[in-house]
Amino acid sequence: MASQEGGQADGSDAAFDRIMESIGNDGPFQRRYNIIFNVVAVLFFAMTVVNVLLILAVPDHRCSLPSGAEGAERNETQRELWEDAVYPKEYNSRGEYVASSCVMYNVSNDGGELRSSNTTMSCIYGYEYDRSYYDRTPVTEQDWVCQKELYGTNVFAIVRVSEVCGTFILGQLGDRIGRLPVYLFSILTAVIGRVFAIFTAEQYWLFAALAFIGSFSTNTSFQSPLIIVMEISKDANRAALSLWQLVGWTAGVCLAPLVLWWMRDWFWFMIVTSLPCLLFYCFPQYNIESPRWLASQGRYGDCLVQLRKIASINGRPLELDEEQLRTLIPRPEIERTYGIASLFSGWHMTKLTCLLLLSWICNTIPTFTLFLMSLQMGGNPFLNNFWQGAVELPAYLLGQICCDRLGRRFTNSGAFLGAALACLPVVLLIHRPGNGAYVTMLAIAVKFFVCITYFALYLQSVEMYPTSLRQTGTSFGIIMSNVFGALGPYIVFLGTNYDIRLPFVAMALIALVGAVSAIFLPETLHQKLPETMEEGRQFGRDQRFWAVPKRPSTAVPNRAGEYRTEPGTEQQELTKLNNASS
């Protein structure tokens, strides 16, 4: 009986693939869906994700001069005297001997003569900010610096915690109630959280709560459309589809800092980068639910509705009714799943899940740390952030080439090792004057390798788990990585307040752990997506460690799910299945 059930599952999978081939699994519908939801929508979502992080960058600042120093503003020599008298000198995190940012001497103006004591105090007259790049941000409006500098860091951490909670809840809902409702909900929460946060900066905890709401659906806003388009497209397109989404992400990440640089005001910046997400409610003919998921749930009528949408736009006939579809794709005897607990079903799946989790953690901490470091490393923060984002596209292109030629596993592990090696010269150079350009380039190189690991890792997560756990498994990896990713802002805090080398030492060690964990994952290149829990438990069990992935033969599965080598057209195979169902 067990072999019959396995054959039935394989046959159902083969039957669905042939139905998709007959109506077009690489046609106009897939291409348009991909451009609308996997590129353009992702571009706007990417700006929504990073906008709250960009506005919390801390510009250079110091204490305002006391009363009586008005003339110093107009007289350079007098201003220098005041500054020498007011600001104690100290070493900053870059090893530079500069005026203090957060304390001042107790200075008085006695008849034009400056009197200064050796005692220091906090900035009782407020703060002066470097406004070379910003006119108005929550940090400069509310003085979230010095004693309040953790305010921004805490919001960064809250954003990560929100992503954990949202991915945990919405990721499982995606496998239970469907990808589409989760996606539509993601749009709503992102816009509400970001737009209403504009009016609440004076109430810090309300601002933080809205940042939580706006980030709640971050990951599912990307996962849902990618999983849908992968489940209606041919297997050979999986890496390319992931690459297209990453192109949209890169464009959004690069565009957001340039928009803020141009606008200089966080109020309008938040509106311009958040409200456009609502536009993606306006494509009902393309806003579909995954027909593969609907069939796996036994919702054959709904599945046919979605298949007809695809067939109509692709200009292909679909001569199936609900009863024929039920016969062709019988709902398997579904093993009961228990959400995240099912990811640890059996020793082999537990091992795969743990290795994926470790890889996700080792990818996410450096990613978030590098993003925040780009805002604090000196120079133009917008260009620093732009180049950190711009390097993602060539990294993803190289990632696709390597993933399709070398395999996902060696690409992932090798890129982690490259990131670790790129961190080492940064540690040696960053305290030496005049090396700022070299440090920036090396930091970009670290980001380059980290992006390659992300590309390979996302493919592995989607390809290793069975259909019933695909979104749950991918979401759980992101959940755990974001739990540990919440450490990123505090790593950056140590770097900017104590020693800027510390974050790069931490990232090098983390990347080494990632290289080791990734090399022990099974190869997913040219492998059939597992459909059942049993296939998931067995996936990669028989692979050899040094095995090189090989492209499968052009064999075609027959009605029993067995493979034969005789050629046959897609329509002939579908006709045979229809005759069998009759």
Side-chain angles (χ1 to χ4, degrees):
M1 286 296 293
S3 62
Q4 290 176 353
E5 289 176 3
Q8 182 188 53
D10 289 342
S12 298
D13 181 43
F16 191 90
D17 285 342
R18 286 196 292 273
I19 291 172
M20 287 306 306
E21 288 170 3
S22 72
I23 65 173
N25 59 6
D26 189 22
F29 183 93
Q30 282 83 357
R31 290 192 289 272
R32 293 171 192 173
Y33 183 96
N34 193 45
I35 293 298
I36 295 170
F37 296 105
N38 220 27
V39 179
V40 180
V42 165
L43 183 153
F44 285 104
F45 267 114
M47 289 197 290
T48 304
V49 169
V50 302
N51 61 13
V52 73
L53 307 179
L54 291 171
I55 63 173
L56 293 177
V58 179
D60 289 339
H61 56 277
R62 61 183 180 181
C63 301
S64 293
L65 293 173
S67 59
E70 293 82 0
E73 298 294 336
R74 298 183 296 273
N75 187 309
E76 187 66 28
T77 302
Q78 192 174 3
R79 182 175 179 83
E80 290 178 1
L81 291 174
W82 270 95
E83 290 177 352
D84 290 339
V86 170
Y87 301 119
K89 299 285 187 177
E90 62 185 14
Y91 286 99
N92 65 12
S93 63
R94 304 184 190 101
E96 301 166 337
Y97 195 59
V98 296
S100 174
S101 296
C102 295
V103 296
M104 58 184 293
Y105 289 124
N106 189 0
V107 179
S108 61
N109 183 8
D110 187 6
E113 181 180 352
L114 298 180
R115 297 185 182 276
S116 175
S117 68
N118 291 327
T119 59
T120 59
M121 58 184 181
S122 60
C123 300
I124 58 174
Y125 304 107
Y127 298 89
E128 295 179 0
Y129 295 96
D130 180 358
R131 300 190 184 271
S132 301
Y133 306 109
Y134 308 93
D135 285 339
R136 190 163 66 115
T137 72
V139 173
T140 60
E141 284 186 335
Q142 306 301 323
D143 290 334
W144 290 350
V145 294
C146 299
Q147 292 90 342
K148 295 183 178 180
E149 191 157 345
L150 272 175
Y151 277 28
T153 302
N154 290 337
V155 172
F156 294 145
I158 287 168
V159 164
R160 281 304 187 195
V161 172
S162 172
E163 292 176 7
V164 169
C165 297
T167 308
F168 177 80
I169 296 170
L170 298 179
Q172 295 184 83
L173 283 177
D175 284 329
R176 291 182 178 272
I177 68 173
R179 292 42 164 141
L180 180 58
V182 166
Y183 180 67
L184 298 178
F185 179 76
S186 299
I187 295 174
L188 187 63
T189 55
V191 173
I192 289 176
R194 292 294 189 259
V195 172
F196 281 91
I198 298 170
F199 306 100
T200 61
E202 293 182 0
Q203 293 81 37
Y204 172 72
W205 289 111
L206 183 55
F207 179 90
L210 285 164
F212 182 97
I213 292 171
S215 301
F216 188 74
S217 57
T218 291
N219 291 310
T220 49
S221 64
F222 303 107
Q223 283 178 9
S224 297
L226 181 61
I227 288 176
I228 289 173
V229 76
M230 281 189 171
E231 292 181 338
I232 62 173
S233 301
K234 61 182 180 182
D235 291 349
N237 288 350
R238 294 197 307 244
L241 292 169
S242 183
L243 177 64
W244 273 110
Q245 185 179 85
L246 293 171
V247 168
W249 164 263
T250 301
V253 168
C254 290
L255 188 58
L258 299 183
V259 172
L260 180 55
W261 189 13
W262 172 59
M263 302 187 78
R264 301 180 62 92
D265 189 296
W266 76 287
F267 183 95
W268 294 109
F269 169 70
M270 293 292 283
I271 291 177
V272 167
T273 55
S274 300
L275 280 181
C277 292
L278 295 176
L279 293 174
F280 298 96
Y281 279 108
C282 304
F283 298 92
Q285 69 273 38
Y286 293 102
N287 257 328
I288 68 164
E289 182 56 87
S290 167
R292 188 184 293 266
W293 178 82
L294 290 168
S296 74
Q297 301 297 305
R299 293 169 55 181
Y300 297 104
D302 294 333
C303 178
L304 269 179
V305 171
Q306 308 305 319
L307 290 174
R308 288 190 182 112
K309 282 186 179 181
I310 298 171
S312 174
I313 292 175
N314 284 344
R316 299 284 192 91
L318 179 63
E319 299 175 354
L320 284 176
D321 59 28
E322 185 174 340
E323 193 57 40
Q324 287 175 314
L325 186 63
R326 188 185 302 275
T327 305
L328 291 174
I329 312 175
R331 185 177 183 182
E333 294 296 328
I334 299 175
E335 298 169 282
R336 183 178 293 275
T337 60
Y338 298 93
I340 288 173
S342 296
L343 302 176
F344 300 90
S345 174
W347 159 245
H348 185 67
M349 188 177 280
T350 299
K351 182 183 76 171
L352 297 186
T353 298
C354 290
L355 289 172
L356 279 171
L357 291 179
L358 192 55
S359 296
W360 272 116
I361 291 167
C362 293
N363 171 271
T364 300
I365 294 178
T367 298
F368 200 37
T369 301
L370 285 166
F371 179 87
L372 298 179
M373 286 293 293
S374 70
L375 302 174
Q376 309 295 346
M377 288 180 65
N380 188 323
F382 302 111
L383 289 181
N384 289 346
N385 195 258
F386 172 83
W387 290 118
Q388 286 273 348
V391 76
E392 294 186 14
L393 184 55
Y396 296 143
L397 289 170
L398 181 61
Q400 183 191 15
I401 293 170
C402 293
C403 283
D404 285 343
R405 295 186 180 181
L406 303 177
R408 288 42 162 153
R409 184 167 62 102
F410 290 122
T411 299
N412 196 0
S413 183
F416 268 126
L417 184 59
L421 294 176
C423 285
L424 299 181
V426 178
V427 175
L428 299 176
L429 295 175
I430 199 167
H431 267 197
R432 298 181 182 178
N435 287 329
Y438 298 111
V439 169
T440 299
M441 288 189 288
L442 286 166
I444 292 171
V446 177
K447 180 67 178 292
F448 181 84
F449 287 114
V450 170
C451 289
I452 294 176
T453 69
Y454 177 85
F455 185 89
L457 184 57
Y458 205 104
L459 279 178
Q460 288 175 303
S461 297
V462 171
E463 294 172 342
M464 279 188 194
Y465 288 117
T467 299
S468 60
L469 290 174
R470 190 159 293 137
Q471 188 156 355
T472 300
T474 306
S475 298
F476 186 53
I478 297 172
I479 286 170
M480 294 307 298
S481 68
N482 283 336
V483 168
F484 288 89
L487 297 174
Y490 298 100
I491 294 174
V492 174
F493 181 80
L494 290 176
T496 54
N497 287 273
Y498 295 96
D499 193 323
I500 202 166
R501 295 174 294 185
L502 293 177
F504 290 95
V505 172
M507 286 188 287
L509 296 175
I510 290 167
L512 285 175
V513 174
V516 173
S517 64
I519 200 65
F520 289 104
L521 287 167
E523 183 53 65
T524 62
L525 178 62
H526 302 320
Q527 305 300 309
K528 185 180 83 69
L529 292 178
E531 294 293 327
T532 66
M533 283 288 295
E534 184 58 30
E535 289 179 3
R537 294 189 190 101
Q538 299 301 322
F539 186 85
R541 186 184 287 273
D542 298 327
Q543 288 185 13
R544 296 182 179 179
F545 184 80
W546 294 110
V548 177
K550 295 181 180 179
R551 187 179 298 276
S553 66
T554 55
V556 179
N558 62 19
R559 286 175 295 183
E562 300 166 346
Y563 282 81
R564 55 182 176 77
T565 56
E566 297 89 353
T569 65
E570 301 162 358
Q571 190 60 44
Q572 287 172 337
E573 290 298 318
L574 183 61
T575 303
K576 290 179 181 180
L577 284 170
N578 288 336
N579 292 338
S581 69
S582 302

